Amino acid sequence: MHRILSGSLVLSTLLLTACQSAPMGTPIAPVSQVDLPRYMGKWYVLAHIPAFIEKQAFNAVESYELTPEGEIATTFTFRKGAFDGPLKTYKPKGFVRDTNSNAVWDMQFIWPIKAEYLIAGLDAGYTQTIVARNKRDYVWIMARTPQIPEKDYEALVQQVRGYGYDMSRLRRVPQQWP
């Protein structure tokens, strides 16, 4: 009987430890519901595992606008290499793939290629969000303001860690506004 209880305790501990971080291949659950009009607007990119175009981003901002056709007109801007570096602007198009939750999109930079965009984290006030991908190749931590309390930032980083990302690749995006 003692052996069975000890074995159960060890197994329970292993299972709990495994649940702390989603293993690669396990789908990242998007948030259950996104109010699209409320999600629209300006989001400051506070941290990311960057795509190649944004590796040296400073003052990165992603803005969304819902079109009459139900698409998401997106404007992504940043300064390359420094706060006074050249301004880069990209205008991908977003497409809501899961209209039940509005939390799973496709983002299209170049036709016909569409990339997964999962709203994996979103606070009740629509002030902080995490956009993830099941491949765990890119992630974005964003907020409505260029700075947030450090405890909030750390909590968002812990969420990203829980999704199973390689945290050594996470880059804090420098944000400095007048």
Side-chain angles (χ1 to χ4, degrees), residues 41-120:
K42 184 185 286 190
W43 290 94
Y44 294 87
V45 181
L46 304 180
H48 59 192
I49 294 178
F52 72 96
I53 63 170
E54 59 183 324
K55 284 189 178 194
Q56 298 177 26
F58 282 66
N59 283 356
V61 176
E62 183 117 322
S63 296
Y64 306 113
E65 183 181 338
L66 193 56
T67 70
E69 299 79 31
E71 297 172 353
I72 314 294
T74 305
T75 302
F76 177 55
T77 61
F78 63 90
R79 296 283 179 174
K80 185 172 183 178
F83 290 115
D84 62 351
L87 181 65
K88 299 292 182 181
T89 302
Y90 296 92
K91 294 192 173 265
K93 224 187 262 188
F95 302 89
V96 178
R97 193 170 23 152
D98 176 0
T99 55
N100 290 324
S101 70
N102 294 325
V104 180
W105 303 2
D106 286 325
M107 196 61 76
Q108 185 176 60
F109 280 83
I110 300 169
W111 184 87
I113 301 166
K114 293 181 180 176
E116 179 184 56
Y117 179 107
L118 287 173
I119 301 172

Side-chain angles (χ1 to χ4, degrees), residues 116-134:
E116 179 184 56
Y117 179 107
L118 287 173
I119 301 172
L122 180 62
D123 71 325
Y126 283 65
T127 62
Q128 300 171 5
T129 190
I130 298 171
V131 175
R133 289 173 36 93
N134 280 310

Side-chain angles (χ1 to χ4, degrees), residues 30 37-38 51 59 73 90 124-125 137 148 151:
R38 198 166 170 206
N59 283 356
Y90 296 92
D137 48 357
I148 61 174
K151 67 178 179 55

Side-chain angles (χ1 to χ4, degrees), residues 5-17:
L5 288 175
S6 295
S8 295
L9 183 60
V10 168
L11 181 59
S12 297
T13 303
L14 287 172
L15 287 173
L16 285 173
T17 302

